[in-house]
C-alpha cells in the first residue's frame, strides 16, 4: 500500500510511505508536475519500505531535476549511486 501526504510550509514536502513500484511513477510524476514552478519540492522517503528499479531511476531523475530526497533509506541511496555508475 502506498500513501502520499503533502505539506507546504515554505517548501512543498511529499511524504511517501509504503511500497513504491513502477505503477506509481505516473502518479508521482503528476503530483510533482502539479506543483507551482519556483517552489522547492522535497520527497521524504523515511517510511518507504520497498522500491523497484523503475522507482530508483525515477528518484535519480528527480534529484537531477532539483527535487530533494529527504530521509532516503541507505539501500535506496546505494542503488541510485549504482545506477549512476552504470551510465
Amino acid at each position: 500500500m502506498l500513501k502520499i501526504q503533502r505539506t507546504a510550509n515554505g517548501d512543498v514536502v511529499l511524504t511517501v510511505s509504503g511500497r513504491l513500484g513502477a505503477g506509481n511513477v505516473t502518479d508521482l510524476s503528476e503530483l510533482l508536475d502539479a506543483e507551482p514552478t519556483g517552489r522547492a519540492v522535497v520527497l521524504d522517503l523515511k517510511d518507504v519500505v520497498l522500491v523497484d528499479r523503475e522507482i530508483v531511476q525515477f528518484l535519480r531523475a528527480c534529484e537531477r531535476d532539483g527535487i530533494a530526497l529527504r530521509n532516503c533509506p541507505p539501500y535506496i541511496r546505494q542503488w541510485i549511486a549504482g545506477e549512476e555508475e552504470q551510465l
Side-chain angles (χ1 to χ4, degrees):
M1 181 173 155
L2 175 66
K3 179 180 175 186
I4 302 171
Q5 181 178 3
R6 183 187 184 277
T7 56
N9 187 12
D11 295 343
V12 173
V13 179
L14 297 175
T15 303
V16 184
S17 304
R19 297 176 180 211
L20 281 172
N24 303 117
V25 170
T26 301
D27 297 333
L28 282 171
S29 292
E30 289 173 357
L31 286 172
L32 293 170
D33 289 344
E35 294 300 331
T37 305
R39 289 193 77 177
V41 178
V42 176
L43 284 174
D44 188 333
L45 305 174
K46 178 181 151 195
D47 296 321
V48 170
V49 294
L50 186 66
V51 297
D52 63 17
R53 186 171 188 194
E54 288 81 2
I55 286 293
V56 169
Q57 292 170 340
F58 174 78
L59 294 173
R60 189 176 142 269
C62 285
E63 277 194 312
R64 191 176 53 237
D65 293 342
I67 297 169
L69 302 182
R70 183 181 295 165
N71 299 314
C72 186
Y75 83 94
I76 296 174
R77 181 58 63 200
Q78 281 184 314
W79 199 350
I80 290 170
E83 289 290 318
E84 290 176 2
E85 289 175 9
Q86 291 180 359
L87 295 178

